[in-house]
């Protein structure tokens, strides 16, 4: 297969590329300064074969998007679990209370619904955090992990899913340890948690690192998701990372209290993160919704110090977090939308910022997730999404829903919109989708 005249802004936002794929692998990638004519025009609405040559007419192609922080088990649970105050505390309480009422079938159906939504928007890899609350009865405790592992297997020919169960944030007894060890033996991909919520956060961090070392698993932590500038468990996470030689294997997410800190302290924290080789993820949608609930007058955005973290060369991705649940009632599993929100909160709207936003949903999260060999480089498994847009300015302004996703050696999904004019003269948009080809 050849695609002529594609724009690949992670390489060069102005050039045109000729992308050639054989047996699902990228075999050549040639750069041109002018469009090359003479080929059949690529159409999102026609059935796409894995063989052929098409003129993309300057449309943007990006490596498959990677969502490095989701909660597939909680997604689309808002119908059952509300949150009247809109606070993180109520969301945690309400979900913990209601979750035993879900069935296996319900949880798996919601997991797959969100995974398919992510795929149609261009996401080809997901890291999902899964609740593992050992205070619940056994069936409820293991349900999320079991269902997402089953879904991971069932969807393996469409999308790559990493499973990071969240270890409890309280002191463990014999029953808790038995269940944790049994869960870790199921074949999960890493260990998660939220130690800043613990009454003994340092002890909880010690437990997480001990299990990670014993099972040789990477760590990905909800960290300091708080408006309180005194909350700084990130410092102990960094120290523990260095102490255990876990540099490059620890990711810290949210970091909301970092934004609330006095700047000199915040910079000292970021420098410590850099020393420990931590990687980071910002979750702008959920944190703009959850944080600042007690603020009067000027309400804080809730997101972390995006600019300063990037300035210190710390890998920083943007991710979806929660989708339609008590933690975040909105969202559609669209990383392009998340990148746009990152642009808003991080003041990243300039011409040189837009390629960086693209990296925050493609190459950087793949680095964090340890994904290699899948993308748009020669010798890699071709994994990409084509958008119906010809410039990054157009891409971020319009968030076009017309997209086609390629991976696993074939076209995986295509979505297109048709513009129609109603009798009253208003524009009406209709969407057609074929998520599986």
């Amino acid at each position: 297969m050849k695609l002529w005249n594609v724009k690949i802004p992670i390489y060069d936002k102005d050039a045109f590329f000729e992308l050639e794929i054989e047996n699902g692998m990228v075999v050549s990638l040639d750069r041109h300064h002018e469009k090359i004519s003479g080929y059949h025009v690529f159409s999102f609405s026609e059935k796409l074969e894995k063989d052929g040559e098409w003129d993309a007419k300057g449309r943007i192609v990006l490596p498959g998007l990677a969502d490095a922080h989701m909660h597939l088990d909680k997604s689309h649970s808002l119908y059952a679990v509300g949150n009247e105050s809109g606070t993180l505390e109520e969301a945690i309480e309400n979900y913990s209370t209601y979750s035993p009422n879900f069935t296996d079938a319900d949880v798996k159906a919601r997991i797959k619904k969100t995974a398919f939504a992510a795929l149609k928007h261009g996401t080809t890899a997901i890291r999902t955090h899964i609740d593992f609350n050992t205070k619940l009865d056994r069936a409820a405790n293991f349900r999320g992990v079991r269902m997402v592992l089953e879904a991971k297997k069932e969807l393996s020919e469409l999308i790559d899913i990493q499973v990071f169960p969240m270890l409890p944030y309280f002191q463990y007894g014999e029953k808790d340890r038995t269940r944790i060890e049994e869960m870790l033996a199921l074949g999960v991909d890493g260990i998660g948690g939220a130690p800043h919520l613990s009454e003994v956060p340092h002890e909880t961090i010690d437990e997480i690192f001990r299990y990670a070392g014993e099972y040789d698993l990477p760590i990905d932590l909800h960290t300091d998701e708080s408006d309180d500038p005194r909350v700084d468990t990130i410092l102990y996470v960094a120290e523990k990372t260095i102490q255990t030689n876990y540099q490059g294997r620890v990711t810290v997410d949210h970091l909301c209290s970092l934004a609330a800190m006095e700047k000199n302290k915040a910079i000292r924290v970021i420098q410590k993160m850099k020393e420990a080789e931590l990687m980071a993820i910002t979750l702008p949608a959920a944190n703009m919704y959850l944080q600042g609930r007690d603020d009067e007058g000027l309400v804080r955005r809730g997101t972390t110090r995006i600019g300063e973290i990037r300035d210190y060369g710390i890998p920083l991705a943007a991710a979806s977090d929660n989708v339609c649940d008590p933690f975040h009632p909105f969202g559609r599993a669209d990383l392009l939308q998340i990148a746009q929100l990152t642009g808003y909160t991080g003041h990243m709207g300039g011409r040189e910022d837009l390629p960086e936003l693209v990296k925050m949903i493609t190459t950087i999260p793949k680095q964090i997730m340890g994904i290699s060999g899948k993308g748009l480089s020669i010798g890699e498994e071709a994994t990409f999404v084509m958008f119906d847009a010809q410039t990054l300015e157009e891409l971020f302004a319009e968030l076009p829903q017309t997209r086609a996703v390629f991976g696993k050696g074939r076209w995986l999904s295509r979505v297109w919109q048709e513009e129609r004019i109603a009798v009253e003269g208003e524009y009406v948009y209709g969407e057609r989708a074929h998520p599986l080809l």
Side-chain angles (χ1 to χ4, degrees):
M1 181 178 75
K2 275 191 180 182
L3 290 173
W4 297 83
N5 302 319
V6 297
K7 289 281 190 72
I8 307 180
I10 63 166
Y11 296 143
D12 185 329
K13 59 182 180 294
D14 299 314
F16 298 94
F17 288 85
E18 170 195 341
L19 173 64
E20 184 175 4
I21 298 166
E22 289 184 5
N23 299 319
M25 306 296 290
V26 178
V27 296
S28 69
L29 189 64
D30 296 327
R31 187 181 321 226
H32 305 281
H33 295 293
E34 302 290 340
K35 288 182 181 179
I36 298 174
S37 60
Y39 296 93
H40 181 66
V41 176
F42 181 91
S43 172
F44 290 92
S45 61
E46 294 178 2
K47 181 174 175 59
L48 299 175
E49 304 293 341
K50 65 179 181 180
D51 299 322
E53 297 191 26
W54 294 284
D55 180 356
K57 291 291 184 181
R59 292 187 175 105
I60 286 178
V61 169
L62 301 179
L65 312 184
D67 206 322
H69 185 126
M70 295 189 83
H71 290 266
L72 292 179
D73 57 332
K74 294 187 176 85
S75 66
H76 292 287
S77 63
L78 190 62
Y79 75 93
V81 188
N83 183 356
E84 292 302 317
S85 69
T87 61
L88 177 63
E89 292 75 18
E90 184 182 342
I92 293 171
E93 176 64 26
N94 290 358
Y95 193 85
S96 297
T97 300
Y98 189 87
S99 60
N101 297 307
F102 291 124
T103 65
D104 287 3
D106 174 72
V107 172
K108 188 191 284 190
R110 291 188 288 101
I111 288 170
K112 295 176 80 169
K113 175 180 180 177
T114 307
F116 281 128
L119 177 63
K120 83 168 187 175
H121 285 117
T123 293
T124 56
I126 292 172
R127 174 178 289 181
T128 180
H129 295 261
I130 302 293
D131 274 12
F132 192 75
N133 186 352
T134 55
K135 288 184 177 179
L136 301 179
D137 68 78
R138 181 181 177 80
N141 183 190
F142 278 84
R143 179 170 291 121
V145 174
R146 288 194 302 104
M147 291 302 100
V148 78
L149 285 173
E150 288 185 13
K152 172 182 177 176
K153 183 177 180 180
E154 293 169 10
L155 301 179
S156 62
E157 289 304 309
L158 297 169
I159 191 167
D160 297 321
I161 298 177
Q162 294 182 352
V163 181
F164 276 63
M166 298 177 66
L167 297 197
Y169 44 85
F170 48 77
Q171 292 181 315
Y172 304 153
E174 182 178 350
K175 182 196 77 172
D176 305 308
R177 294 189 184 282
T178 299
R179 287 190 180 180
I180 290 170
E181 291 164 7
E182 183 179 349
M183 177 271 292
L184 292 175
L186 294 176
V188 299
D189 301 287
I191 293 178
H196 66 282
L197 298 175
S198 174
E199 293 183 357
V200 286
H202 289 193
E203 288 84 345
T204 301
I205 292 167
D206 288 341
E207 293 278 16
I208 289 170
F209 272 84
R210 185 180 69 80
Y211 279 116
E214 182 178 343
Y215 287 83
D216 191 25
L217 293 170
I219 296 170
D220 192 328
L221 300 176
H222 292 59
T223 307
D224 301 343
E225 189 178 3
S226 169
D227 294 325
D228 187 346
R230 296 169 298 177
V231 176
D232 57 6
T233 62
I234 179 61
L235 288 171
Y236 190 74
V237 171
E239 291 173 3
K240 194 71 178 180
T241 300
I242 296 169
Q243 177 189 335
T244 56
N245 295 316
Y246 241 63
Q247 293 95 326
R249 301 191 70 191
V250 179
T251 305
V252 287
D253 311 339
H254 293 291
L255 299 170
C256 303
S257 66
L258 187 65
M261 291 175 188
E262 180 268 329
K263 185 171 183 179
N264 288 337
K265 179 181 178 181
I267 295 302
R268 290 196 300 271
V269 170
I270 293 172
Q271 289 171 337
K272 192 68 176 180
M273 292 171 58
K274 177 69 172 179
E275 180 186 352
E277 299 177 29
L278 300 180
M279 299 172 287
I281 301 174
T282 184
L283 296 310
N287 285 136
M288 281 196 294
Y289 180 78
L290 289 171
Q291 307 308 131
R293 291 282 173 170
D294 294 327
D295 289 349
E296 297 179 359
L298 184 62
V299 178
R300 285 170 287 183
R301 298 179 175 200
T303 47
T304 192
R305 290 180 179 263
I306 293 171
E308 291 95 328
I309 292 173
R310 293 182 61 250
D311 287 344
Y312 274 83
I314 295 170
L316 178 66
S320 293
D321 204 3
N322 300 77
V323 176
C324 300
D325 65 21
F327 297 81
H328 178 230
F330 312 125
R332 60 190 187 207
D334 181 359
L335 275 177
L336 186 61
Q337 182 187 46
I338 295 298
Q340 185 196 59
L341 290 175
T342 304
Y344 277 114
T345 59
H347 293 151
M348 297 175 65
R351 182 170 173 80
E352 299 306 316
D353 293 322
L354 300 185
E356 297 304 311
L357 289 176
V358 167
K359 293 175 185 176
M360 292 177 75
I361 58 172
T362 56
T363 56
I364 294 174
K366 286 181 180 179
Q367 176 188 351
I368 290 171
M369 297 169 71
I371 296 173
S372 61
K374 296 186 178 184
L376 285 169
S377 296
I378 295 175
E380 290 186 333
E381 179 186 315
T383 308
F384 63 85
V385 53
M386 183 189 295
F387 298 87
D388 192 16
Q390 297 184 340
T391 67
L392 286 180
E393 289 80 3
E394 179 185 4
L395 185 72
F396 280 104
E398 299 186 6
L399 304 183
Q401 293 301 290
T402 299
R403 310 177 189 190
V405 186
F406 188 94
K408 313 287 186 180
R410 66 194 192 282
W411 292 99
L412 298 173
S413 170
R414 58 190 171 108
V415 177
W416 72 95
Q417 289 184 319
E418 294 178 342
E419 186 177 277
R420 299 192 298 273
I421 300 177
V423 174
E424 296 82 6
E426 297 178 354
Y427 287 99
V428 179
Y429 293 90
E431 180 182 279
R432 296 180 180 178
H434 291 268
L436 300 176
L437 300 181

